[in-house]
Amino acid sequence: MSRTYFDRSAPIAALATPEGRSALAVIRTSGEKAIALVARCFSRPQALLSAEGYRAVHGWIFDPHLQERLDEVVALVFRAPHSFTGENAVEIMCHGSPAVVQRILDVLYAQGFAPALKGEFSFRAFTGGKTDLVRAEAINELAQASCEAARQDALLRLTGALSRTLEEIRSLIVAVLADIEARLDYPEEEGPDEMAHWVQSIQRAQDELSDLIRSYPGGRLRQEGVLVVIAGRPNAGKSSLFNLLVREERAIVSPEPGTTRDWLESWVSIGDFAVRLVDTAGLRNSGNAVEAEGVRRSHALLDRADMILYLVDGTVGLDDEDRTFVERHPGALLLWNKSDLPQCMPAPQGWTAVSAKDVHSFGGFESMLKDHLSTYVQKTQSVGQYEAQVRIASERQEHLLRQAYEALSQAMEAQAAGAGLDLVALHIRESAEYIGEVTGDIAPDEVLERIFSTFCLGK
Ligand SMILES: Nc1nc2c(ncn2[C@@H]2O[C@H](COP(=O)(O)OP(=O)(O)O)[C@@H](O)[C@H]2O)c(=O)[nH]1
Ligand SMILES: [Mg+2]
């Protein structure tokens, strides 16, 4: 039977650095017996067993069964509760080859460590009370930050700024709830002013929730990068432009239309932002099944794109397919390609002449793209009355905050319609519970499993 996150009795181990070759790799372990178990395959067991927390101990990892040395390492000792998970832990810094790492992991498993599940270290930190859910998610967001802006946002959430904001909103709501419940218990002490005061508090809570909800598109954009999709008819020069932007011959360029049948993607930095650049297959309908699938995927990506670069071969000009596309995607950046060729026609109004073959004109194109991107990103970020300091980037959080907001609206509506106070209280309590779910104060087990299983291995 496979282990679950809730099996906290098992000592766990996992590689915390990427697989592959590197100078050093870090293998992480955690569990009440972690230090004793590592000591069984460590050349200086006493040094490890007697080490204080935060001490680095030099030695060898060996295979006790074969009596064979595996690698020279530095073992970092953490003593409960002063560790990331709150449990005893040893982090082993070994040499970074897959062969070394695999042998060490095998030996650790043989001593009784279980392979850690994705996010299990963070899960233990959460259930051990070392962090709330918002901060645990921020750790993962920080580990996956694709650019400087994402790092800044995740760090702010990690330091508790979002948790504090949520706590303030929740306190506002809970205070109103307590008042209403007192009034339900002692109806004779009614005061007419009280209602106005509650309404004010609920409105304030809604305003703050609304700011957070509105920060989501910008936060997501910063966290996940900007999705830029290159589209156009076959042979327009999409793959050539893609290669130019990623500065690599990634996509196959060919005069044969329909060469790119699947989409290709690559990360590039444009300005301060991480861009997920996608080269799509042509958009024409085709009888060929593989090509048709490529076309279907292209459309799916276009629906999600933050920005579309639409290319036309300037030596061929516009056709109905191009016109339909432009009508459907009014925000697309329209590029009139192959301007280096003498037979290229003048770019029509609204189109920018470019050449995917002329590296000299490329600088100008790239800076135009940069401007376009930064306008887009700014527009997405500055929704809301103020430039939100604390942003959310998680769909889960956004969804729950929306529900919390909705529940408060229902409470206000019930109050305005003269419904009983018990009904008003019911909606307000619901709202407080949604916020509790964001921070993890109230979170069903399967929700927790789902969240942590999206984390990196060894995190
Ligand atoms: N002269 C010139 N040829 C280009 C330019 N862009 C693409 N091509 C050529 O047009 C053909 C199709 O290009 P490709 O990038 O494969 O187009 P795709 O089908 O849209 O991906 C290839 O032969 C390219 O070398 C350009 O700006 N100038
Ligand atoms: Mg192509």
Side-chain angles (χ1 to χ4, degrees):
M1 205 186 79
S2 62
R3 286 179 52 246
T4 74
Y5 289 85
F6 297 92
D7 176 12
R8 285 188 57 114
S9 62
I12 50 173
L15 176 67
T17 42
E19 290 191 35
R21 263 186 244 161
S22 55
L24 295 177
V26 177
I27 292 173
R28 202 169 198 191
T29 71
S30 181
E32 198 191 326
K33 299 206 186 83
I35 302 171
L37 292 177
V38 175
R40 287 198 208 159
C41 51
F42 194 69
S43 60
R44 299 170 58 215
Q46 275 313 318
L48 207 61
L49 290 168
S50 61
E52 288 170 27
Y54 304 136
R55 279 294 157 90
V57 186
H58 169 255
W60 290 78
I61 295 285
F62 70 96
D63 184 333
H65 184 61
L66 300 173
Q67 287 295 316
E68 180 193 0
R69 282 180 165 195
L70 298 182
D71 190 20
E72 187 178 15
V73 303
V74 170
L76 208 54
V77 176
F78 297 87
R79 300 233 169 234
H82 305 294
S83 72
F84 177 66
T85 54
E87 302 175 326
N88 285 332
V90 182
E91 286 182 8
I92 301 169
M93 261 148 284
C94 60
H95 291 101
S97 91
V100 168
V101 168
Q102 196 50 57
R103 281 298 299 277
I104 296 180
L105 282 173
D106 286 344
V107 162
L108 291 174
Y109 298 152
Q111 307 316 308
F113 282 104
L117 303 168
K118 278 181 165 186
E120 195 172 6
F121 291 92
S122 303
F123 181 82
R124 290 191 176 189
F126 168 68
T127 50
K130 298 289 281 189
T131 173
D132 66 16
L133 199 49
V134 166
R135 270 183 270 185
E137 281 178 299
I139 295 170
N140 192 44
E141 285 157 2
L142 194 58
Q144 298 191 353
S146 52
C147 64
E148 171 59 19
R151 184 195 66 78
Q152 284 174 10
D153 279 11
L155 194 69
L156 201 61
R157 290 189 287 270
L158 178 61
T159 52
L162 178 56
S163 307
R164 279 193 298 278
T165 308
L166 291 171
E167 198 39 58
E168 277 163 27
I169 301 175
R170 196 165 171 210
S171 305
L172 263 175
I173 298 174
V174 170
V176 175
L177 194 60
D179 278 356
I180 293 184
E181 275 170 357
R183 187 147 135 189
L184 280 169
D185 290 343
Y186 306 100
E188 63 280 4
E189 286 178 28
E190 244 173 69
D193 298 347
E194 269 185 326
M195 196 49 95
H197 178 67
W198 295 342
V199 167
Q200 235 178 26
S201 293
I202 296 295
Q203 265 164 356
R204 244 185 69 205
Q206 277 195 305
D207 286 347
E208 300 219 2
L209 282 172
S210 154
D211 280 339
L212 283 177
I213 294 165
R214 293 207 231 178
S215 76
Y216 175 64
R220 187 193 63 87
L221 205 67
R222 290 159 76 99
Q223 179 64 29
E224 293 179 5
V226 191
L227 176 62
V228 176
V229 179
I230 307 177
R233 281 192 285 143
N235 232 13
K238 299 180 293 297
S239 297
S240 306
L241 186 74
F242 176 86
N243 287 343
L244 207 58
L245 283 167
V246 305
R247 294 178 167 77
E248 209 184 323
E249 294 296 313
R250 271 285 306 280
I252 300 172
V253 171
S254 152
E256 176 107 355
T259 307
T260 314
R261 290 186 161 177
D262 201 352
W263 49 275
L264 263 182
E265 67 171 67
S266 188
W267 285 95
V268 283
S269 300
I270 298 181
D272 276 347
F273 288 91
V275 171
R276 183 181 158 207
L277 187 70
V278 177
D279 176 21
T280 58
L283 296 169
R284 69 168 180 184
N285 290 318
S286 136
N288 179 309
V290 179
E291 211 178 313
E293 176 58 20
V295 172
R296 193 193 62 75
R297 291 183 191 187
S298 302
H299 281 292
L301 275 160
L302 285 165
D303 288 341
R304 287 177 18 226
D306 293 304
M307 186 178 299
I308 297 169
L309 306 183
Y310 192 76
L311 251 72
V312 158
D313 182 337
T315 65
V316 174
L318 292 170
D319 79 351
D320 286 345
E321 195 179 322
D322 299 321
R323 292 194 191 91
T324 314
F325 187 95
V326 172
E327 255 169 51
R328 264 198 218 142
H329 302 90
L333 193 58
L334 307 176
L335 304 174
W336 196 253
N337 192 30
K338 312 200 185 179
S339 63
D340 55 297
L341 294 176
Q343 67 269 39
C344 184
M345 296 176 262
Q349 174 104 39
W351 292 74
T352 306
V354 295
S355 166
K357 283 280 134 113
D358 178 13
V359 183
H360 300 296
S361 70
F362 180 64
F365 167 66
E366 212 181 15
S367 70
M368 175 184 83
L369 193 57
K370 220 179 269 182
D371 289 348
H372 214 72
L373 263 177
S374 83
T375 312
Y376 173 76
V377 171
Q378 249 154 34
K379 210 170 69 199
T380 316
Q381 279 175 18
S382 58
V383 280
Q385 288 152 343
Y386 68 104
E387 173 77 359
Q389 274 283 306
V390 184
R391 294 185 188 82
I392 56 169
S394 134
E395 193 180 347
R396 180 192 81 87
Q397 294 171 3
E398 191 246 10
H399 188 65
L400 288 168
L401 293 179
R402 265 187 199 286
Q403 286 174 297
Y405 183 94
E406 252 334 286
L408 290 183
S409 297
Q410 284 171 350
M412 299 278 266
E413 278 163 27
Q415 189 271 330
L421 273 185
D422 45 353
L423 184 64
V424 177
L426 189 87
H427 290 305
I428 296 179
R429 187 171 310 112
E430 208 174 60
S431 177
E433 282 173 4
Y434 283 126
I435 298 175
E437 229 179 287
V438 178
T439 48
D441 293 338
I442 309 166
D445 290 356
E446 78 268 27
V447 171
L448 291 177
E449 289 215 28
R450 208 168 52 233
I451 296 167
F452 284 96
S453 63
T454 64
F455 282 30
C456 307
L457 196 65
K459 188 68 251 175

